[in-house]
Amino acid sequence: MIIPMIEVTSLIFALIAGVFLGTLFFGGLWWTVQKGVSSPYAPLWFTSSMFLRTAIVLGGFYFVGHAHWKRLLICLLGFIVARPIVMRLTRLPRRLHES
C-alpha cells in the first residue's frame, strides 16, 4: 500500500506537534513542581497548572487529530516520546544525587 505524500507530511507534522505538546506538558509539570514546593500557595499552583496543561494538550490533540485517527495516534506517540526527553533535560547533576 502506497501512502500519498500529503498524508506522510501531515503525519510528520502530527508527530512534531505531539512532541511539542508533550514538552509543554511535562516541562510545565517540572516548572510547576519547582515553583510549587516553595510557595505558600502550593495547592493553587498544582491545581491551576494541571487544568491549564491538560486544556492546552487536549485542545492540541483535538486540533491536530481533526477526526483522523492516524494523526491522533502519531500525535500521541510524539507526546509519549517527549516525556523521556524532558526527563533527561531536567535531570539534576549526578553530584546532587549522591549527597
Side-chain angles (χ1 to χ4, degrees):
M1 182 172 134
I2 298 175
I3 301 174
M5 190 61 178
I6 292 176
E7 187 173 346
V8 171
T9 305
S10 70
L11 293 178
I12 291 171
F13 283 134
L15 181 67
I16 292 168
V19 170
F20 175 75
L21 289 171
T23 302
L24 190 69
F25 185 85
F26 295 113
L29 176 60
W30 176 81
W31 185 79
T32 301
V33 170
Q34 297 298 312
K35 297 293 181 183
V37 294
S38 62
S39 172
Y41 305 107
L44 181 64
W45 270 100
F46 287 103
T47 304
S48 58
S49 171
M50 180 193 63
F51 284 123
L52 181 64
R53 288 180 295 114
T54 302
I56 290 170
V57 168
L58 286 177
F61 278 138
Y62 180 78
F63 180 75
V64 171
H66 197 63
H68 294 278
W69 68 271
K70 289 179 186 176
R71 280 193 257 168
L72 189 59
L73 189 64
I74 295 295
C75 188
L76 179 62
L77 177 67
F79 183 85
I80 292 169
V81 164
R83 183 177 180 264
I85 294 170
V86 171
M87 287 178 62
R88 179 167 277 234
L89 292 175
T90 58
R91 182 173 37 196
L92 291 174
R94 276 194 178 266
R95 284 181 265 129
L96 294 176
H97 283 297
E98 294 170 357
S99 55

